[in-house]
Each structure stands twice: as structure tokens, then as C-alpha cells.
């Protein structure tokens, strides 16, 4: 049995190394999360995030925020104690209960029950539960992805300055998932997320301006998120610092950003 566990863990690592682009890695991560394998999903999300997929970066952040609850072993008895406390109105225990339902800890995996908890507490004004309800609709784990419902809950949470919700809402508008793409509105929401502390929102802004070749607007976000450990931002910053009439000479400053990107695992940054 131990050999099988080791083999499966090794096989999971191989799988995470097989996806070839950001979109496919994100898709594989979503499939793994749907099946309850959060360790494997995080490997895929990490790889997609390193390739610049902001949705994957968000999922990684969610995993890190809930890692302790996700990884802990939960008996059926412990699950029932948490469930009883949640039913008694303990918001913290309800947060744990929703995580247990999503990860199948102490009970069978049940996204719909997690969603009911999220909706209930969202209606009571708890912004983080509105964000969770939005993400469950956004990810499609309740069935088909329902972007209209996701937007509704993100809007509620963003109104209460939940930074992650603002970023997620903005990214829906930018990508045009289930809605007509609106770059200006999307950027305004992502900016709100960044200003209220969501690092992934700042990363997304840097990437958005960079890909639109507005390097001067991109630089402050790329610099800040590179310093925060985002390798893709470091690589983009290095490119943004290169002269338009590049003739093979890289400035010391640009080279430093490429070097940092390389050390953070971005092969394209290795000169």
C-alpha cells in the first residue's frame, strides 16, 4: 500500500509537469480540485501562475489561505462537532465546515452544501462568504460555470471591499466570460482589488498594461509584484526596461530583473 501511495504521488508530480501552457495547466488544476485532490490542483495552479495565468494565481492564494483546514485530517466525529457549532451560528466554524465539504474531510465531498453555507452567510453580510459563493459559480464545480451568479456575489463582496472579489469580478469583465468584455470596467475593478490589498489584482494590472504595451503604467505594478516574488512580473519588468531600438545591449537594471525572474523559476528570464 505504501508503494502505491508513493507511486501515485510521483505520478501526480509527473502529471503537473506535462501540461504545456497556462490554460491547460489551469484546466488540469480545476479538474484536480473538482475531484478533491488539492495538492495536485495546487501543483497545476502553481505552474499556470508562473506562466502568467492570473486565475491560477488566485486559486493558489485561496489554497494557501485554507491550506491548514484542507490538509488536516478530520474524523466524522470532529466534522459533526464543527457542523453543530456552525448550525449554532459560529461563523468561523461555518468557514471550516464549508472547507471540509469542498475537500471531503470527515464527510463526502459536497460543493452544494458548501455553497448553501456561503449563500446563507453572504445574505448576513459576510463578504468572504459572498466571494466563496462567487468562486464556486465561477469555477463550475456546482455543474456548469454560472458567470452571472458569480458576478452577483463578487459585486456584493466587492461593495464591502473584499479585495479578491473585486479582482475576480474585474477579470470576468476583462476576459468576457459570460458577459460582453468591458476593459475599462474590468480594469477599474481589478484596480480596486489591488488598492485594497489583493496582490493578484496588482499582478493582473501589470500584465494587462504590459500586454497592451503601456509600459509606463505597467512598471509600478510589475516592480511591486516582482519584489513580492512573482517571477512573471520580474520578466515583464525586464522587457519593459529594454529600449525600443534594442541592439543586443541589456541594461544592468533590466538584467537584474531577468536574473530575479530566472531565480524564481521563469526559464525565459535566464539569459
Amino acid at each position: 500500500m505504501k508503494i502505491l501511495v508513493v507511486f501515485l504521488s510521483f505520478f501526480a508530480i509527473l502529471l503537473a509537469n506535462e501540461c504545456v501552457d497556462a490554460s491547460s495547466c489551469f484546466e488540469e488544476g480545476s479538474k484536480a480540485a473538482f475531484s478533491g485532490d488539492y495538492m495536485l490542483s495546487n501543483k497545476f495552479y502553481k505552474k499556470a501562475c508562473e506562466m502568467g495565468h492570473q486565475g491560477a494565481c488566485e486559486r493558489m492564494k485561496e489554497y494557501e489561505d485554507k491550506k491548514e483546514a484542507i490538509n488536516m485530517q478530520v474524523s466524522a466525529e470532529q466534522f459533526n462537532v464543527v457542523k453543530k457549532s456552525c448550525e449554532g451560528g459560529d461563523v468561523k466554524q461555518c468557514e471550516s465546515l464549508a472547507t471540509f465539504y469542498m475537500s471531503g474531510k470527515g464527510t463526502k465531498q459536497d460543493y452544494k452544501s458548501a455553497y448553501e453555507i456561503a449563500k446563507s452567510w453572504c445574505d448576513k453580510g459576510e463578504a468572504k462568504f459572498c466571494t466563496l459563493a462567487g468562486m464556486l459559480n465561477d469555477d463550475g464545480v456546482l455543474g456548469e460555470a454560472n458567470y452571472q451568479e458569480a458576478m452577483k456575489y463578487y459585486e456584493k463582496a466587492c461593495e464591502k471591499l473584499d479585495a479578491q472579489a473585486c479582482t475576480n469580478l474585474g477579470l470576468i469583465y476583462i476576459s468576457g466570460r459570460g458577459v460582453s468584455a468591458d476593459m475599462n470596467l474590468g480594469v477599474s475593478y481589478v484596480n480596486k482589488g489591488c488598492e485594497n490589498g489583493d496582490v493578484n489584482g496588482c499582478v493582473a494590472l501589470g500584465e494587462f498594461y504590459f500586454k497592451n504595451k503601456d509600459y509606463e503604467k505597467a512598471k509600478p505594478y510589475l516592480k511591486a509584484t516582482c519584489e513580492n516574488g512573482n517571477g512573471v512580473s520580474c520578466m515583464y519588468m525586464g522587457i519593459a526596461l529594454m529600449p525600443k531600438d534594442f541592439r543586443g545591449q541589456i541594461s544592468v537594471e533590466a538584467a537584474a530583473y531577468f536574473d530575479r525572474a530566472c531565480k524564481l523559476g521563469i526559464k525565459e528570464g535566464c539569459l
Side-chain angles (χ1 to χ4, degrees):
M1 186 64 174
K2 288 183 179 179
I3 295 174
L4 177 61
V5 170
V6 171
F7 173 77
L8 289 174
S9 298
F10 178 67
F11 184 63
I13 294 170
L14 287 178
L15 283 174
N17 287 330
E18 283 178 3
C19 59
V20 294
D21 55 47
S23 295
S24 64
C25 291
F26 181 76
E27 184 177 347
E28 291 302 321
S30 297
K31 289 178 182 177
F34 185 80
S35 69
D37 191 340
Y38 286 94
M39 289 186 68
L40 178 57
S41 71
N42 196 48
K43 291 180 188 296
F44 282 119
Y45 288 149
K46 183 175 187 295
K47 189 169 183 181
C49 179
E50 289 171 348
M51 294 178 184
H53 194 297
Q54 298 313 314
C57 298
E58 293 160 25
R59 299 301 176 262
M60 281 186 66
K61 182 176 183 297
E62 180 194 7
Y63 175 84
E64 289 299 320
D65 289 344
K66 295 181 170 59
K67 183 165 62 176
E68 184 176 348
I70 288 172
N71 290 335
M72 70 182 291
Q73 297 300 313
V74 180
S75 67
E77 183 180 359
Q78 290 172 317
F79 173 85
N80 288 329
V81 169
V82 172
K83 183 179 180 183
K84 187 173 181 180
S85 295
C86 174
E87 290 170 347
D90 188 324
V91 64
K92 285 289 185 184
Q93 295 290 56
C94 286
E95 187 175 357
S96 295
L97 184 62
T99 301
F100 293 159
Y101 274 127
M102 290 187 291
S103 58
K105 299 291 185 181
T107 186
K108 66 177 183 179
Q109 191 175 49
D110 187 350
Y111 286 107
K112 290 184 178 178
S113 290
Y115 183 47
E116 291 303 317
I117 293 170
K119 286 197 300 181
S120 174
W121 281 98
C122 176
D123 290 341
K124 295 174 184 176
E126 291 287 339
K128 61 186 174 184
F129 284 97
C130 298
T131 302
L132 176 58
M135 292 177 72
L136 289 169
N137 278 291
D138 198 352
D139 279 347
V141 295
L142 301 171
E144 290 292 323
N146 188 333
Y147 299 119
Q148 295 301 319
E149 281 294 294
M151 291 171 70
K152 179 181 77 174
Y153 286 111
Y154 286 153
E155 284 174 358
K156 285 185 177 181
C158 185
E159 286 173 1
K160 294 181 178 292
L161 300 183
D162 184 286
Q164 187 179 9
C166 297
T167 297
N168 291 357
L169 181 59
L171 292 174
I172 287 180
Y173 277 114
I174 289 172
S175 64
R177 299 198 308 271
V179 66
S180 296
D182 188 330
M183 297 299 173
N184 291 332
L185 184 57
V187 168
S188 70
Y189 275 119
V190 175
N191 185 62
K192 190 173 182 179
C194 175
E195 289 180 343
N196 282 282
D198 184 31
V199 173
N200 291 315
C202 302
V203 171
L205 284 174
E207 180 180 344
F208 175 81
Y209 289 126
F210 175 84
K211 289 185 175 179
N212 282 279
K213 301 189 184 302
D214 192 341
Y215 295 151
E216 291 309 308
K217 281 188 177 179
K219 284 177 183 177
Y221 299 107
L222 296 176
K223 181 180 179 181
T225 53
C226 172
E227 291 173 353
N228 199 53
N230 187 289
V232 173
S233 293
C234 297
M235 185 181 70
Y236 286 166
M237 185 66 177
I239 294 171
L241 288 168
M242 292 172 69
K244 291 182 180 179
D245 58 344
F246 175 66
R247 296 178 181 176
Q249 283 292 103
I250 299 176
S251 70
V252 173
E253 187 179 11
Y257 278 105
F258 285 128
D259 182 61
R260 183 168 174 80
C262 181
K263 289 177 179 177
L264 288 168
I266 306 303
K267 294 180 181 178
E268 292 81 359
C270 301
L271 302 177

